[in-house]
Amino acid sequence: MLIPSHQNKPLLSFGVISDGVPRYYRHSLHVLQRAVKNWNHQNLKFSINFGDIVDGFFHKHQSLTSVNKFRLFNGPTYHMIVNHCLYNLPRDKLLPLLNIRNPNSIAYYEFSPIAEFQFVVLDGYDVSAIGWPKDHPNTKKANSPNGLIIRDRRFLMFNGAVGKERIKWLDRVLGDATKLDQKVGIGCHVPLDSDASSNEALLWNYNEVMDVVHRYSCVKACLAGHDHKGRYSVDSHGVHHRILEAALECPPGTDAFGRIDVFHDRLLLCGED
């Protein structure tokens, strides 16, 4: 069957990278540098950082180096707030650094790079034991992981949850996208599907978030980081879940970044190593 030529061309392409620091810190900076050079060469529309470029186990000036490397990209970069970032800086300092301009230190947002497509970024640490002041209500809601087994292992301290107000916001955003006949991709540092993630890396309330997602047919894919080895699944409602392999797991001489081509009927992930 012949495919019309316009269907072979993506509507847009964007860069993706995840989990860029601690284990091979110096090399992961080189991975990021190569990623930005690669993306600029391909003239991508934007890039998405799925997290952990500001790390709590290194000096702040080293963490800032990784942020500055993103600024060499010839387009906007959208960041997610994640656990390693929050080990280093409080939310009120971190969000401006990552160019997330929401008030009240919240880190969820959406954007439409083209009329047909919308990307929604969730804050997987909206309710968390890290990043908020100790007396903040969102810290007090966090659970203790002691004695947890099997899937309840997701209640570890380096995970978090999407708060109730943000879930209501997600419901409104997906409702509006449905009215506009948009296809939606969701990004969250912490995975949203138990078949694509280890028990220890799941969002605390992944089931509540996915209950909202499954009310609508507009969501086609959920992308995540955090669970460093990477994995893929399709859930019972046909939503694709892809966890991206971590740059920090790359020993010298290897890479872990890529681009995603968005077509009318599919997303194509083209990765390096």
Side-chain angles (χ1 to χ4, degrees):
M1 181 178 68
L2 294 177
I3 299 175
S5 60
H6 73 274
Q7 292 187 18
N8 289 324
K9 297 179 181 179
L11 300 172
L12 76 149
S13 300
F14 60 92
V16 290
I17 193 168
S18 183
D19 295 276
V21 249
R23 191 155 309 157
Y24 290 98
Y25 173 75
R26 294 185 185 280
H27 180 250
S28 67
L29 285 179
H30 294 306
V31 174
L32 176 55
Q33 189 172 12
R34 289 194 293 271
V36 169
K37 183 178 180 180
N38 180 285
W39 298 337
N40 284 339
H41 180 72
Q42 297 181 74
N43 196 29
L44 303 186
K45 195 173 185 70
F46 60 91
S47 65
I48 300 181
N49 163 39
F50 282 80
D52 286 345
I53 61 164
V54 178
D55 185 69
F57 300 108
F58 292 92
H59 297 299
K60 289 189 172 95
H61 79 272
Q62 292 175 311
S63 297
L64 293 176
T65 298
S66 56
V67 176
N68 289 332
K69 287 188 182 298
F70 272 106
R71 292 172 180 159
L72 298 175
F73 173 59
N74 296 332
T77 295
Y78 297 94
H79 297 282
M80 298 178 194
I81 191 169
V82 301
N83 54 310
H84 281 280
C85 301
L86 294 170
Y87 298 150
N88 197 330
L89 293 170
R91 280 174 170 260
D92 60 343
K93 299 290 192 301
L94 179 63
L95 267 62
L97 181 67
L98 299 180
N99 201 32
I100 300 174
R101 303 297 182 184
N102 284 351
N104 302 319
S105 296
I106 55 179
Y108 64 92
Y109 55 94
E110 48 82 23
F111 62 97
S112 294
I114 56 174
E116 303 97 316
F117 181 72
Q118 183 173 170
F119 204 91
V120 177
V121 174
L122 299 179
D123 181 356
Y125 294 89
D126 183 30
V127 177
S128 174
I130 53 176
W132 298 103
K134 290 183 179 180
D135 59 349
H136 194 281
N138 285 356
T139 302
K140 293 179 179 178
K141 294 174 187 174
N143 295 273
S144 168
N146 295 335
L148 298 176
I149 59 173
I150 313 177
R151 199 159 290 166
D152 284 345
R153 291 288 297 168
R154 70 185 186 276
F155 292 109
L156 295 169
M157 302 293 277
F158 54 71
N159 298 329
V162 175
K164 293 187 182 300
E165 290 303 312
R166 317 308 174 223
I167 289 178
K168 292 178 182 177
W169 169 83
L170 176 63
D171 195 16
R172 291 194 298 270
V173 167
L174 297 184
D176 291 343
T178 299
K179 293 174 185 176
L180 294 171
D181 197 27
Q182 291 179 311
K183 294 180 174 69
V184 177
I186 292 179
C188 184
H189 178 68
V190 190
L192 299 173
D193 184 61
S194 58
D195 288 333
S197 173
S198 64
N199 293 323
E200 290 79 8
L202 272 172
L203 190 79
W204 287 347
N205 62 337
Y206 74 96
N207 46 354
E208 292 181 77
V209 173
M210 291 310 300
D211 282 346
V212 173
V213 170
H214 290 156
R215 292 174 196 164
Y216 303 92
S217 61
C218 59
V219 179
K220 305 303 178 183
C222 295
L223 306 176
H226 198 46
D227 200 358
H228 296 163
K229 297 298 183 183
R231 205 165 163 187
Y232 170 74
S233 69
V234 181
D235 68 27
S236 59
H237 287 68
V239 178
H240 298 255
H241 296 261
R242 182 63 161 90
I243 301 173
L244 301 171
E245 289 81 0
L248 68 83
E249 298 284 353
C250 291
T254 62
D255 282 317
F257 63 86
R259 78 171 193 274
I260 291 180
D261 296 330
V262 180
F263 296 86
H264 283 286
D265 60 347
R266 66 196 184 280
L267 300 175
L268 177 62
L269 173 62
C270 304
E272 297 291 332
D273 287 356

